[in-house]
Amino acid sequence: MDKIKRVLKHENSQFDINVSRRSSSASTVHDSDKATKLWLGKDYVNWIHKDLDSADAPYQDMVDRFSTVRMPWHDIACVVFNKAATDVGRHFIQRWNHAKKVKASSKTSSKYPLLLPRSTNTPYKRLPPFIRDMCELVNCQVLRSCSGWSSGMQRPETSIYNAYIELIEHSEYYIYIENQFFISWCGTDIQNCICEALVNRITKAHQMKQQFRVYIVLPLLPAFEADLDPQKSGGSALFSVLYWIQQSLIGHENSLFKKLRSHGVDPSDYVSVTGLRTHGSLQGKPVTELIYVHSKLMIVDDRKCIIGSANINDRSLSGVRDSEIAVVIEDEFFHNSTMSGRDVEVGKFCYSLRNNLFQEHLGLSDTDYIQDITCEQFYKHRWVTTAAVNTSIYSKVFNCLPCDTVTSFQELRAYKALTSMATSDPVVARQQLMKVRGSLVMYPLEFLKNEKLINHLGAKEKMMPNAFWT
């Protein structure tokens, strides 16, 4: 792998290349003051309330920002230099030239020239000082999911998937995952074995009596327009994706939780599945919305990580379907830390990224350094407890959906008819919301568990094969 310099990151819909800085406005759920709009036109969005339309009119609002709560966005990206950047450029050139060959007609071919890669790299010393000062020297390898249709390759490349499996299998202390989807290993319809690799690693830790944790952060709902009521139109795409995620985590006999239990493992001792939520005020009233997790990130042991575009599903990982790109990063410089009560060395880059994310999710300051995330005190009494308390407050104040207490559509309709504290007593609601810390909440594993969501697809969606959703 090549040595490069690196900076971070794209967080909650704003670019911020300093890993230690976060924008306080990124999680705001409103923008109703016309004089001080932060999100113009279609940047003010709530995907579940309204899907994209009129894309050719970017400055035209999709929703009424005076009545519709904005859905904040959480994402991770990185910047690479030197040989890794050259590889990214060559990947683009390969795809461009293949598309020209396949799609450009003889009449338009001259408008789209074939590209040739450059053989030179930008020396590190020529980078702007403000970038150099915020970089870390690491080992880096560019990864891809691509094949004949996307890049003209004779054999599919699955290096992103291979890297995920390898890092999981060789993890020692913890695995931290943020992803838009988690659809893996729930029967013959799913081909990727990310979930199986997690089960095997956790079972090994259980048998060897090792302290080992898996943190999974997902969006509370898929970002598809829906009313969450099958009696009304729409919602088929959301129900379908939600069905496959639930089957992967807890529903299917080969799901993550059920497979662990079959091996004599209590999932709660090793796995935490959470989401992100925030709150604010719209037209003087308390409001809340989920923070949509769009990241495709895995950090292992504060020493290695994968950052890219690939979701945890077959579409992103099989190589022959969606085309994806990512980087696997391995630290070269280390400092002392603690894992499972033992002195260890952790990487400067991976540790800083993971620590920054935990500070944000838990509502901590930049001076709160979180080292041992495998110990019982942190895992159960800090991470899980914070998520559980925040979930309880949001449920009490807003009657939030999704939630574990709603397991059927009948219960859903009754729950939506309830008057929330935010409506009946906004003063007390605001007092309760002051107790919320960060944005971490529990993922509702029991939501609509008594409904086979895939049976509620619309006519068009039912015509699609399962592979369309997975």
Side-chain angles (χ1 to χ4, degrees):
M1 292 187 287
D2 300 320
K3 294 181 180 179
I4 61 163
K5 292 283 177 175
R6 181 168 311 279
V7 295
L8 272 199
K9 69 187 173 174
H10 179 195
E11 184 85 349
N12 286 355
S13 81
Q14 292 192 351
F15 279 100
D16 187 352
I17 62 175
N18 185 338
V19 296
S20 65
R21 292 176 56 244
R22 294 189 296 273
S23 171
S24 60
S25 65
S27 295
T28 305
V29 294
H30 69 91
D31 191 8
S32 56
D33 184 351
K34 288 186 177 181
T36 57
K37 285 184 180 179
L38 293 175
W39 297 277
L40 301 177
K42 289 178 172 53
D43 283 342
Y44 190 95
V45 65
N46 188 314
W47 296 112
I48 295 177
H49 183 85
K50 177 67 175 177
D51 205 351
L52 179 67
D53 62 5
S54 302
D56 58 340
Y59 297 108
Q60 177 182 313
D61 284 0
M62 283 200 311
V63 296
D64 180 2
R65 61 182 68 215
F66 291 92
S67 61
T68 302
V69 177
R70 172 182 170 268
M71 180 185 289
W73 197 270
H74 173 79
D75 213 335
I76 300 292
C78 62
V79 178
V80 299
F81 301 101
N82 295 343
K83 292 183 180 180
T86 299
D87 285 345
V88 173
R90 287 176 175 172
H91 172 68
F92 171 80
I93 290 169
Q94 182 180 6
R95 292 207 61 189
W96 172 277
N97 289 343
H98 176 67
K100 169 185 167 61
K101 178 182 176 181
V102 173
K103 296 185 177 181
S105 66
S106 58
K107 293 182 179 180
T108 61
S109 181
S110 60
K111 296 181 181 180
Y112 306 102
L114 289 169
L115 303 180
L116 294 175
R118 294 175 60 184
S119 59
T120 59
N121 297 305
T122 301
Y124 170 59
K125 63 183 179 180
R126 288 177 54 190
L127 295 172
F130 80 94
I131 292 181
R132 290 203 307 265
D133 294 342
M134 293 183 288
C135 295
E136 297 292 345
L137 183 64
V138 300
N139 281 329
C140 175
Q141 176 66 54
V142 176
L143 311 170
R144 304 189 297 179
S145 291
C146 54
S147 59
W149 79 262
S150 60
S151 302
M153 302 172 63
Q154 293 184 346
R155 292 191 303 172
E157 180 178 332
T158 59
S159 53
I160 299 177
Y161 175 60
N162 298 341
Y164 266 96
I165 295 296
E166 182 175 345
L167 263 61
I168 292 171
E169 290 178 345
H170 291 90
S171 58
E172 295 185 53
Y173 302 104
Y174 82 85
I175 298 168
Y176 177 75
I177 294 172
E178 287 185 3
N179 208 280
Q180 183 182 10
F181 301 114
F182 189 93
I183 301 176
S184 175
W185 197 52
C186 51
T188 56
D189 292 313
I190 308 296
Q191 302 302 316
N192 80 82
C193 297
I194 299 294
C195 192
E196 182 177 10
L198 291 172
V199 168
N200 291 340
R201 182 61 190 92
I202 294 168
T203 301
K204 179 182 177 181
H206 179 72
Q207 293 170 345
M208 299 180 68
K209 300 188 181 336
Q210 294 177 335
Q211 221 168 37
F212 186 82
R213 313 296 184 189
V214 175
Y215 297 87
I216 302 174
V217 181
L218 303 172
L220 296 173
L221 285 172
F224 297 96
E225 184 177 341
D227 189 77
L228 292 182
D229 189 338
Q231 291 185 342
K232 298 182 179 181
S233 60
S236 294
L238 184 148
F239 289 141
S240 183
V241 174
L242 184 62
Y243 167 81
W244 286 106
I245 293 174
Q246 289 181 335
Q247 289 295 294
S248 300
L249 290 171
I250 199 170
H252 195 273
E253 61 181 5
N254 285 330
S255 65
L256 177 61
F257 279 44
K258 286 189 177 180
K259 204 64 179 177
L260 286 173
R261 292 192 183 103
S262 71
H263 292 171
V265 180
D266 182 352
S268 65
D269 289 338
Y270 296 91
V271 183
S272 163
V273 186
T274 55
L276 304 176
R277 180 176 284 280
T278 190
H279 64 276
S281 178
L282 181 65
Q283 297 293 87
K285 300 177 182 178
V287 291
T288 185
E289 186 54 271
L290 63 88
I291 299 175
Y292 190 72
V293 179
H294 192 256
S295 323
K296 297 93 168 61
L297 167 75
M298 184 171 74
I299 309 174
V300 173
D301 298 336
D302 282 356
R303 296 175 70 98
K304 299 177 182 179
C305 69
I306 297 173
I307 302 172
S309 67
N311 294 309
I312 296 181
N313 57 16
D314 285 352
R315 290 184 60 146
S316 286
L317 300 176
S318 67
V320 298
R321 300 174 65 184
D322 294 355
S323 177
E324 310 286 2
I325 193 167
V327 288
V328 58
I329 298 166
E330 182 178 9
D331 269 297
E332 277 214 335
F333 292 92
F334 304 90
H335 59 78
N336 295 330
S337 187
T338 307
M339 289 284 182
S340 301
R342 298 163 49 191
D343 293 333
V344 298
E345 288 189 333
V346 298
K348 289 181 64 179
F349 175 82
C350 291
Y351 167 79
S352 65
L353 172 57
R354 194 270 306 157
N355 186 67
N356 186 263
L357 290 168
F358 276 44
Q359 288 172 344
E360 179 179 295
H361 297 339
L362 294 170
L364 305 177
S365 71
D366 291 343
T367 58
D368 290 319
Y369 298 103
I370 308 165
Q371 295 191 7
D372 192 348
I373 66 170
T374 63
C375 68
E376 193 86 355
Q377 180 64 28
F378 175 82
Y379 174 70
K380 287 197 172 179
H381 300 291
R382 194 71 173 272
W383 185 267
V384 174
T385 297
T386 298
V389 170
N390 287 347
T391 303
S392 177
I393 294 171
Y394 280 125
S395 179
K396 184 187 301 183
V397 172
F398 294 108
N399 298 340
C400 286
L401 288 171
C403 64
D404 280 329
T405 57
V406 173
T407 61
S408 67
F409 287 122
Q410 182 178 357
E411 293 176 351
L412 175 65
R413 287 186 283 272
Y415 191 77
K416 291 174 70 174
L418 298 175
T419 301
S420 69
M421 179 190 294
T423 299
S424 63
D425 198 340
V427 174
V428 175
R430 290 190 180 92
Q431 293 173 350
Q432 291 292 318
L433 291 172
M434 292 178 65
K435 302 175 184 177
V436 170
R437 293 294 177 264
S439 55
L440 199 68
V441 292
M442 301 300 293
Y443 185 88
L445 293 168
E446 306 292 318
F447 181 59
L448 297 179
K449 69 174 184 178
N450 294 328
E451 300 285 347
K452 192 166 184 180
L453 298 177
I454 206 165
N455 288 342
H456 295 279
L457 299 184
K460 292 185 297 183
E461 288 79 9
K462 283 183 178 179
M463 296 174 63
M464 302 295 182
N466 289 336
F468 180 81
W469 308 105
T470 63

